[in-house]
C-alpha cells in the first residue's frame, strides 16, 4: 500500500476516534472478490454477475407467479381484490402480485 494511502487511513481512523466511533468498514479486498480477480478477471466476473442476476430474476418471477395465484396468502393481494370494482377485482389483484 503506498504511503499516502496509509496516511489517509491513519487520519481517518484518528478522526473517527475523536468523534467516539470505531472503524467498521474493512478496507481490504474480500477473499471471494480477490479469488475472482485472480482466477477469471473482471470480464468473467461481469459475465457471471449478469448470468446470476438473470437466474435470480427468473426465480423471483416464478415466486411472484405462484403467490399471485393465491391472493388470500398476502394482505396486498386480498385488499386489492376487495377494494377494486367487482368486474376488475381479479385484474387488480394480479397487477398487485406482479
Amino acid at each position: 500500500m503506498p504511503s499516502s494511502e496509509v496516511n489517509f487511513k491513519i487520519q481517518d481512523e484518528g478522526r473517527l476516534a475523536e468523534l467516539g466511533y470505531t472503524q467498521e468498514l474493512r478496507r481490504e479486498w474480500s477473499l471471494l472478490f480477490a479469488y475472482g480477480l485472480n482466477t477469471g478477471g473482471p470480464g468473467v466476473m461481469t459475465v457471471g454477475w449478469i448470468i446470476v442476476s438473470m437466474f435470480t430474476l427468473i426465480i423471483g418471477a416464478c415466486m411472484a407467479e405462484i403467490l399471485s395465484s393465491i391472493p388470500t396468502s398476502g394482505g396486498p393481494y386480498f385488499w386489492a381484490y376487495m377494494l377494486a370494482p367487482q368486474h376488475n377485482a381479479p385484474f387488480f389483484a394480479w397487477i398487485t402480485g406482479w
Side-chain angles (χ1 to χ4, degrees):
M1 187 180 304
S3 63
S4 61
E5 289 181 26
V6 172
N7 289 338
F8 286 127
K9 184 177 179 181
I10 293 170
Q11 290 174 354
D12 289 346
E13 290 173 356
R15 180 65 178 146
L16 285 173
E18 289 175 7
L19 296 171
Y21 296 102
T22 58
Q23 181 175 338
E24 296 179 16
L25 179 63
R26 295 186 314 174
R27 297 182 184 204
E28 299 89 29
W29 293 98
S30 70
L31 178 64
L32 186 61
F33 192 67
Y35 178 77
L37 283 175
N38 290 331
T39 57
V44 172
M45 291 175 68
T46 302
V47 171
W49 181 81
I50 292 170
I51 291 170
V52 169
S53 297
M54 295 305 286
F55 280 111
T56 303
L57 184 63
I58 290 169
I59 290 170
C62 292
M63 291 174 68
E65 182 67 26
I66 291 168
L67 292 177
S68 68
S69 68
I70 309 169
T72 58
S73 67
Y77 313 112
F78 177 75
W79 284 110
Y81 185 85
M82 295 303 291
L83 294 173
Q86 191 59 35
H87 62 284
N88 290 332
F91 175 74
F92 283 111
W94 181 82
I95 290 293
T96 302
W98 179 252

